[in-house]
Amino acid sequence: MATIGLDRLYYAKITEDDNGDETYDTPMPLAKAISAELSVELAEATLYADDGAAEIVKEFKSGTLTLGIDDIGVAAAGDLTGATIDDNHVLISTSEDGGAPVAIGFRAQKANGKYRYFWLYRVKFGIPATNLATKGDSITFSTPTIEGTVLRRNKLDGQGKHPWKAEVNEGDEGVTQAIINGWYSEVYEPTFAASGGSGE
């Protein structure tokens, strides 16, 4: 079903243990969302045998998340880009900046009034782009955009795989209201029933 809206943009800082496995801080609002564009790059390989394609493998490699936002506060800018806040509460960006990855959550309204919820588990952002224009005969809003690279998570899920995105539709069969209500209280952790198999 098509989506018609976008809101509730949140981020959560990541802490890694000695193995690189992520734990997430409590999610915090990032900014008011205007747009979100997610493009995905796949690693692809084709095995040829008997003069034809015998096997094709496509795996998630990375993605790009471009967010249009109303404004990014100094604290969020520091968390996402590695910029620092000086003693006068001025945000200072340096050539050595490099923000740590964060998790990004948001939701998009569907035509039926319910929402599709997302968590991207590991996104590394660059410096926000700023667009400015002088005031003319008409009012033009200049809003920042911020672009991040979406990566897979280091921590394995219950199937021994590296997730990069969690997505759920409100109202789908089997989706409890508790999942929807708690979507922004913590970054969603995949849950799989224990089994002796490989999960395939």
Side-chain angles (χ1 to χ4, degrees):
M1 180 177 289
T3 58
I4 57 174
L6 174 70
D7 69 350
R8 306 262 345 246
L9 183 59
Y10 277 64
Y11 76 101
K13 293 196 286 187
I14 295 174
T15 303
E16 296 182 18
D17 65 15
D18 293 338
N19 297 322
D21 288 352
E22 299 91 347
T23 56
Y24 299 97
D25 288 358
T26 301
M28 298 178 288
L30 173 54
K32 290 184 179 180
I34 297 171
S35 64
E37 181 180 333
L38 176 64
S39 59
V40 174
E41 184 178 349
L42 300 177
E44 184 174 339
T46 304
L47 173 66
Y48 291 93
D50 289 338
D51 294 332
E55 193 169 335
I56 299 174
V57 175
K58 293 186 178 187
E59 293 182 350
F60 174 80
K61 183 177 177 184
S62 66
T64 301
L65 177 67
T66 305
L67 294 174
I69 52 181
D70 69 332
D71 192 17
I72 184 169
V74 291
D79 290 340
L80 270 61
T81 68
T84 55
I85 302 169
D86 76 359
D87 294 342
N88 296 314
H89 207 68
V90 175
L91 185 69
I92 306 298
S93 298
T94 69
S95 60
E96 293 83 7
D97 289 345
V102 296
I104 296 291
F106 54 93
R107 70 179 186 175
Q109 188 176 26
K110 301 187 298 181
N112 65 2
K114 296 190 180 294
Y115 289 88
R116 180 177 298 150
Y117 290 81
F118 299 85
W119 272 111
L120 301 175
Y121 284 116
R122 193 176 178 92
V123 183
K124 187 169 177 66
F125 284 100
I127 301 298
T130 304
N131 302 305
L132 302 174
T134 190
K135 191 163 49 172
D137 292 337
S138 61
I139 296 173
T140 302
F141 287 104
S142 297
T143 56
T145 58
I146 186 167
E147 185 174 282
T149 301
V150 181
L151 306 166
R152 73 176 196 174
R153 192 161 78 157
N154 295 326
K155 183 179 178 182
L156 296 172
D157 65 15
Q159 295 181 317
K161 298 180 181 178
H162 297 274
W164 64 274
K165 177 178 74 166
E167 179 179 342
V168 68
N169 288 306
E170 182 183 14
D172 276 4
E173 184 176 345
V175 176
T176 65
Q177 194 59 42
I179 293 294
I180 301 302
N181 291 346
W183 196 253
Y184 294 106
S185 60
E186 60 183 6
V187 176
Y188 180 78
E189 285 288 345
T191 303
F192 296 98
S195 64
S198 64
E200 295 181 3

